[in-house]
Amino acid sequence: MFCIQCEQTMRAPGGKGCSFTQGMCGKSAETSDQQDLLVAVLQGLSAWALKARELNIVDAAVDAFVPRTLFATLTNVNFDTRRIVEYTREAASLRDGLAARCREIDRAADVALPQAGIQPADDLAGLAAQAADWALDRDVFDVSEEVHGLRLLGLYGLKGAAAYMEHARVLDRQDAGLAQGFHEKMVALADPSDDIEALLALSLDIGQLNFRIMAMLDDGETAMFGHPAPTQVNVNPVAGKAILISGHDLKDLRALLEQTEGTGINVYTNGEMLPAHGYPELKRFKHLAGNYGSAWQNQQREFAAFPGPIVMTSNCIIDPNVGRYSDRIYTRSIVGWPGVKHLEGESFAPVIEQALAMPGFAETAEPHQITVGFGRQTLLSAADTVIDMVAAKQLRHVFLVGGCDGSRQERSYYADFARQVPQDCVVMTLACGKYRFNKHDFGTINGLPRLLDVGQCNDAYSAVMLAVTLAEKLGCGVNDLPLTLVLSWFEQKAIVILLTLLSLGVRNIYTGPTAPAFLNDTLMGVLAERFGMREIGTVEEDMAAMLPA
Ligand code: SF4
Ligand code: SF3
C-alpha cells in the first residue's frame, strides 16, 4: 500500500504516505492497492477512448465511466474492495468492447500504453499481484522527489476534476470535448514526463479543464434547481421523524424530498449539502427542515446522535461502525463501505421505511438561523454595490476563506482568521471548512452580510466569476482587487480547485494548514516563486500582510 493523496497522510510515520495495512482514513491496504489497479486500467480505457475518436467513435458511456469510477478512488469515498474490483472488471470490458469496435474499422488499431493491456485476474490474489505493478510509489526509485510529487499533483488534481465531472453528469451535463480533454490527461499521467516544466504545465492544463467542468456543473445545477438566493436555514432540529442527507448530490436530495413529501418526515442536510437550502427548486419543499451537524470529521459523534437514517451521496464517509450507526447509513453512487447498504436507482423506500420506524427528534429546539445562498447570480448582481462600497471606503477587503475541513488542530486557524477579520471587511466561504465559524454572527456592513456563503467546493466557480466581473468593471486584473484567498486543503477536490485558480492567473493564495506531503519544500518554493503561493502562518501576521496599511 502506498497512498499519499490527502492531508491525513502527514501523520503516517515519516510523513511518507500511508503505507502499512491501513491508511489513516481507515482504507485497507487491499482497497488502496485495488484503487491503484483501477486507475491504471482506466488509463488504458482512456487511451482506447482517444484511439476511438481518431476513428470517429465517441462512446458517451465510456466518457462517463472513466471520471465516475476515478471518483471512487478519492479520499473518504469508497472503502469497499468488492466494488472497486467490479469497476476494474467493467473498465476492462468497456476497453475490450471499444477496441473491438475500433478494429472493425481499422484492423491494425492499437494503443501503446502498457496499462491498456491489463487483464484483471480472476481472484483477489492475482489482482493483488497485478496491483503491485501500478503502485504509485514505484517511480520514487528512479525519478526525483520533485518529479514524483508533480506527477502526483497532476493525478490527484485530475481525481478532483473527475468528481466534478461526475457531479455534472448526474445533472445531465456531458460534453464530448471535455471528456476528450479528460482522457488526454489520463493518458499523459499514465506515461508521464520527467520534466518539471512539462509536469507543471500539465497540472495547469488540468486546472483549466476543471474550470470548464465546474462551469458545466454550475450550468447543470442552476438549470435544474434555479439560482441560489440568500436563504435562512435553521441549524437546530424540530420535533418529528428525520432523515439526514450528506454529500454534494442535489439531485438525490430532490428525489428524497419528493418521496418524503406528505410522510411527516423532515429532511436535514449535512456537510456539503448545506448550500442546497438556497436553491428555489429545493427550498420550496417545506419538510426540508434544516441543517444538522458540521463537517465530515465530526460525523461519528453527530451521526451517532441523529435519530434517523442517513444517506451519503458522495464524499466524505468515515467508519460508521465507530458510532454504531452502520445499520442506518446508506451509500449512493460511487460511495461505499463494506457491509453498509448501498442504494441503486431512484427509490429511497428503505430509507423512508427506516425513518418511519425510528423515533426522530422528540423536541423542537430553539431555532438558530444562518444564511446561505450567495451564488453566482446573487453575487454578480451585488457587484456594483460592492464597487460603490469599496469606492466609499465602507468596504476595505474581501477574504475568501474556502476549502475542506479536517481534524488537525491547526485548522482552528481558519475560524480564528474569520473572527478576526476587521468589521469593514467581508468573508466569503466555500466548501466544508466553514462549519467551524458559520454559526457565528458576523453582522452586516450597510445591509451587506459580512459572511457570504457561496456554496459547495465546486461553487468556487461562482467566486471566480465574481472576481472576474469585478476586475472587468474596475478595469484591473483579478490580482489587483481588494481580495485575498485563504484556502484549506484536505482532499483532491481542493487540489484541483487550487490548480484551477493558479491556471487562471490568481496569485498570492494562502494555503494550509500544512503543505501536501507530495509537495516537498523545493516544489512549494517553485509554487511560491511562480504564483506567489504562500503557506499560512499566524492569523495576526497574515492579516497584517494581506491588509494594506
Ligand atoms: Fe492515507 Fe489519505 Fe490515502 Fe487514506 S486517502 S490512505 S488517509 S493518504
Ligand atoms: Fe469537504 Fe470532504 Fe473537501 Fe467539497 S466534504 S470539501 S473534505
Side-chain angles (χ1 to χ4, degrees):
M1 168 178 196
F2 174 82
C3 185
I4 197 168
Q5 66 184 359
C6 84
E7 187 219 20
Q8 294 169 104
T9 196
M10 291 296 287
R11 290 198 198 157
K16 292 288 179 203
C18 297
S19 51
F20 295 96
T21 55
Q22 181 171 302
M24 288 299 298
C25 57
K27 183 166 77 174
S28 71
E30 180 187 81
T31 307
S32 181
D33 293 345
Q34 289 309 310
Q35 288 182 345
D36 291 344
L37 181 62
L38 170 60
V39 172
V41 176
L42 289 175
Q43 286 169 328
L45 176 55
S46 280
W48 271 105
L50 292 176
K51 171 59 69 181
R53 277 168 157 80
E54 288 173 20
L55 302 167
N56 290 324
I57 302 171
V58 177
D59 188 321
V62 167
D63 289 354
F65 184 86
V66 173
R68 174 176 164 77
T69 49
L70 189 60
F71 187 6
T73 72
L74 264 72
T75 299
N76 290 345
V77 174
N78 198 317
F79 295 78
D80 191 341
T81 305
R82 186 185 52 83
R83 298 256 315 277
I84 301 298
V85 169
E86 275 173 21
Y87 292 148
T88 303
R89 295 197 192 292
E90 201 178 336
S93 154
L94 284 168
R95 175 199 66 200
D96 293 346
L98 201 51
R101 283 172 68 196
C102 289
R103 287 175 182 141
E104 278 170 19
I105 297 169
D106 172 6
R107 284 178 57 189
D110 209 352
V111 300
L113 209 62
Q115 287 91 333
I118 303 171
Q119 289 301 343
D122 292 335
D123 58 17
L124 255 182
L127 288 163
Q130 287 176 311
D133 289 337
W134 304 103
L136 293 168
D137 58 344
R138 282 187 85 233
D139 53 359
V140 165
F141 303 111
D142 51 32
V143 293
S144 69
E145 215 179 302
E146 288 75 28
V147 167
H148 186 231
L150 283 177
R151 288 177 178 180
L152 293 178
L153 177 67
L155 177 64
Y156 297 154
L158 194 59
K159 284 189 179 194
Y164 295 135
M165 193 99 141
E166 169 62 7
H167 289 323
R169 187 200 64 80
V170 167
L171 305 173
D172 304 327
R173 290 294 182 277
Q174 263 192 284
D175 181 284
L178 290 182
Q180 174 164 343
F182 196 91
H183 292 308
E184 286 167 359
K185 306 295 176 278
M186 287 289 279
V187 170
L189 288 161
D191 182 19
S193 162
D194 54 10
D195 177 70
I196 298 267
E197 290 303 325
L199 288 167
L200 266 174
L202 176 59
S203 282
L204 293 182
D205 278 355
I206 290 168
Q208 267 299 307
L209 177 75
N210 185 59
F211 184 62
R212 294 165 61 207
I213 294 171
M214 287 200 302
M216 178 168 75
L217 173 54
D218 177 275
D219 179 51
E221 283 178 337
T222 50
M224 200 170 274
F225 306 111
H227 282 275
T231 305
Q232 298 256 295
V233 183
N234 183 9
V235 294
N236 281 341
V238 293
K241 308 278 183 192
I243 294 175
L244 187 62
I245 181 164
S246 191
H248 301 71
D249 191 333
L250 302 178
K251 199 171 171 190
D252 265 2
L253 171 60
R254 185 178 65 181
L256 181 63
L257 288 166
E258 284 168 350
Q259 292 172 39
T260 45
E261 203 162 24
T263 60
I265 298 170
N266 289 319
V267 174
Y268 294 83
T269 58
N270 169 263
E272 282 282 74
M273 202 58 92
L274 167 66
H277 294 268
Y279 286 88
E281 281 305 307
L282 297 170
K283 68 179 175 187
R284 69 186 173 84
F285 292 92
K286 297 281 177 290
H287 62 300
L288 181 58
N291 176 255
Y292 173 91
S294 53
W296 66 272
Q297 75 279 1
N298 301 322
Q299 223 170 79
Q300 285 159 337
R301 178 171 44 81
E302 293 171 350
F303 286 9
F306 189 79
I310 301 145
V311 180
M312 291 301 299
T313 68
S314 69
N315 47 328
C316 284
I317 188 172
I318 53 176
D319 191 350
N321 298 304
V322 172
R324 302 214 179 109
Y325 49 84
S326 54
D327 59 339
R328 57 183 172 88
I329 186 166
Y330 297 78
T331 57
R332 289 282 288 164
S333 179
I334 37 61
V335 188
W337 193 281
V340 158
K341 291 177 279 283
H342 185 69
L343 285 179
E344 294 281 2
E346 300 297 308
S347 172
F348 287 92
V351 184
I352 295 168
E353 206 176 302
Q354 191 167 26
L356 290 171
M358 286 189 65
F361 287 105
E363 289 173 13
T364 298
E366 182 71 27
H368 178 169
Q369 308 284 352
I370 61 169
T371 309
V372 301
F374 295 91
R376 180 164 51 89
Q377 199 181 63
T378 303
L379 289 176
L380 294 187
S381 66
D384 288 332
T385 311
V386 169
I387 289 171
D388 291 346
M389 287 173 71
V390 172
K393 299 202 184 313
Q394 291 165 332
L395 173 59
R396 185 155 49 130
H397 206 84
V398 177
F399 296 94
L400 176 70
V401 182
C404 310
D405 206 350
S407 44
R408 288 176 77 94
Q409 190 58 36
E410 299 92 311
R411 285 183 178 271
S412 61
Y413 172 95
Y414 296 93
D416 295 343
F417 185 94
R419 289 204 184 92
Q420 288 182 40
V421 162
Q423 289 301 314
D424 57 356
C425 302
V426 158
V427 179
M428 289 185 0
T429 55
L430 280 171
C432 66
K434 60 181 167 258
Y435 282 100
R436 289 179 185 246
F437 56 88
N438 73 337
K439 291 169 185 122
H440 177 79
D441 184 3
F442 282 82
T444 57
I445 310 175
N446 276 6
L448 179 74
R450 287 187 60 246
L451 185 76
L452 303 169
D453 182 39
V454 185
Q456 297 179 342
C457 43
N458 43 288
D459 294 312
Y461 177 74
S462 297
V464 167
M465 294 315 288
L466 173 68
V468 168
T469 305
L470 287 174
E472 271 171 11
K473 283 178 181 269
L474 291 166
C476 66
V478 167
N479 294 310
D480 303 318
L481 293 170
L483 168 72
T484 306
L485 282 73
V486 189
L487 304 184
S488 55
W489 89 285
F490 169 70
E491 38 82 41
Q492 300 77 52
K493 285 175 164 177
I495 291 291
V496 81
I497 287 175
L498 179 65
L499 294 180
T500 295
L501 292 168
L502 297 181
S503 77
L504 292 169
V506 181
R507 293 182 59 80
N508 305 329
I509 301 173
Y510 285 72
T511 65
T514 45
F518 51 88
L519 296 182
N520 67 9
D521 290 347
T522 310
L523 287 174
M524 288 303 283
V526 170
L527 296 177
E529 186 197 327
R530 301 278 172 96
F531 307 105
M533 208 178 92
R534 49 193 86 181
E535 294 180 67
I536 57 169
T538 67
V539 171
E540 292 73 18
E541 281 169 10
D542 292 348
M543 194 83 75
M546 292 168 192
L547 280 174

